[in-house]
Amino acid sequence: MKRIYFPEPFRIKSIEPLKMLTREEREQKIAAAGYNVFSLASQDVYIDLLTDSGTGAMSSDQWAGVMLGDESYAGADCYYHVQENAKEIFGLPYVQLVHQGRAAEKVLLPVLLQGKKYAIANMHFDTTRAHVELAGARAIDCTVPEALDTTKYYDFKGNMDVERLEEYIHELGAENIGVVIMTITNNSAGGQPVSVENIRKTRDVAHKYGIKFMIDAARYAENSYFVKQREPEFKNSTIQEIVRATFEGADCFTMSAKKDAIVNMGGLIGCRDKAVFELVKQRCISFEGFITYGGMSGRDIEALARGLKEGIDENYLRYRIGQMEYLAARLDEAGIAYQSPVGGHAVFVDAKKLLPHIPYYQFPAQALAIELYKEAGIRACDIGSYMLGNDPDTGKQLEADFEFTRLAIPRRVYTQSHLDVIADALINIKERAQEIKGYKIVEEPPILRHFTAKLAPLE
Ligand code: F0G
């Protein structure tokens, strides 16, 4: 096959040894974990693809920043550093530190949703949806229909369906909608990018009806890289210029810095409106900590300030997205379907297509995740009916639009050989796909069950 080769723009200075168990040992471990990958000890995992969040490798410059972090309660040096970098990158005048993405949601969303009934997004991430609901509103998803067909090529499968958005605004009443949210990249649809054109149209529709426009910026740098590749207007722009175009006119943003700022912990809120920012600061002091540290250690703030710059480096992004493209190309060669074209932080394998004999209520994507662990010690997770859970009214298992097994790739952590292990494991599984059985749940909590439920294989 043609090797897609975007070499690492770094070399490795420090390594972390990995334990390599035998297949028999892995079979025992996953059974003891109740066939739930979240219950595995990380020491028993060879390649951990559970998430790309907070799992990246920091640079020597970031580690140097850790030593320099100023731990003062108020006005620490690292606070000014993160303010300077975030304002320069995003172009919004007010920035608040928080300890992670969901903390940003907890602080900001109730301010935007006060007295409102709805939030509409291209797609809400789980925690965003939870905070919309905790604020007493309902979360409505409005992704373009192209996202539903995993095998069909479309440049921007993460886009908002802008026409549908406007219909929703008419149906629900603009006065009832607190915020329109754009999640970039669109994680739940497969790490799929959103075009700047679509961001502008969505923002303009929101503003036409006097509704605030917010960006969930967890993977804004990866999104900008896709924009550069696929949106002709930006083919000669720098990543920094694309980021500025993305955030132009946005009223606010939330950001989990654990992704594109390549730190293990951290988050940001950005605001354009001083009145909103005043409320954000007050809520931050109650929930997170004083405004100049926002629930973070000074050392972590300094690493975040530096990571913000590293995350928008084009050579880094070329290598980063190149890893996804390499893995995707190997799956193409083997005829294994995934959300295509591949997204920015993960390969979302279409388990419905790989294991067509397992119905949604026997959790094909979870079955594939378990099989990957048994096969090669790889930990992936289900983004499908197993994660979706039961209808809260009827208690019946819901059927998800997708049955994805998500292979989320941590930043700067795994090599191309690791990617080959992943591809080879999937190919071996495909060869014996018919023998793989579904699962039943034997124990489950009422909400967010996928984290702690216990399962058993079906005969
Ligand atoms: N928004 C998006 C789009 C996310 O993907 C996440 C986290 C959050 C918000 C919440 O941020 O974890 O820092 O509180 N996504 C992780 C994942 C957990 O695995 O996709 P957080």
Side-chain angles (χ1 to χ4, degrees), residues 61 239 298 329:
D61 186 58
I239 299 298

Side-chain angles (χ1 to χ4, degrees), residues 38 49-54 99-105 123-128 131 182-188 216-219 254-259 264-267 345 348 381 383 406 408 451:
F38 290 94
L49 308 181
L50 200 52
T51 180
D52 64 316
S53 180
H99 84 275
Q100 66 181 99
R102 67 200 70 183
E105 294 159 359
M123 192 99 87
H124 294 81
F125 180 68
D126 319 11
T127 60
T128 323
H131 282 292
M182 192 63 108
T183 307
I184 58 171
T185 55
N186 187 328
N187 182 0
S188 313
D216 175 345
R219 298 180 183 84
T254 54
M255 178 180 166
S256 167
K258 299 170 71 170
K259 284 85 171 171
N264 306 118
M265 196 49 77
H345 67 293
F348 287 64
C381 72
I383 308 264
R406 185 179 80 164
F451 291 120

Side-chain angles (χ1 to χ4, degrees), residues 70 72-73 75-83 86 94-101 103-104 107 253 255 257 263 265-270 277 280-281 283-285 287-305 308:
D70 175 349
S72 303
Y73 191 93
D77 192 47
C78 47
Y79 161 75
Y80 296 107
H81 193 193
V82 85
Q83 287 283 326
Y94 303 110
V95 173
Q96 178 58 57
L97 272 166
V98 288
H99 84 275
Q100 66 181 99
V107 168
F253 69 83
M255 178 180 166
V263 283
M265 196 49 77
L268 293 174
I269 299 171
F277 186 58
V280 162
K281 281 197 291 189
R283 291 176 60 80
C284 181
I285 294 171
F287 293 129
E288 291 287 287
F290 184 61
I291 51 172
T292 66
Y293 74 91
M296 300 263 287
S297 302
R299 61 185 85 100
D300 288 336
I301 298 173
E302 187 54 38
L304 166 51
L308 279 172

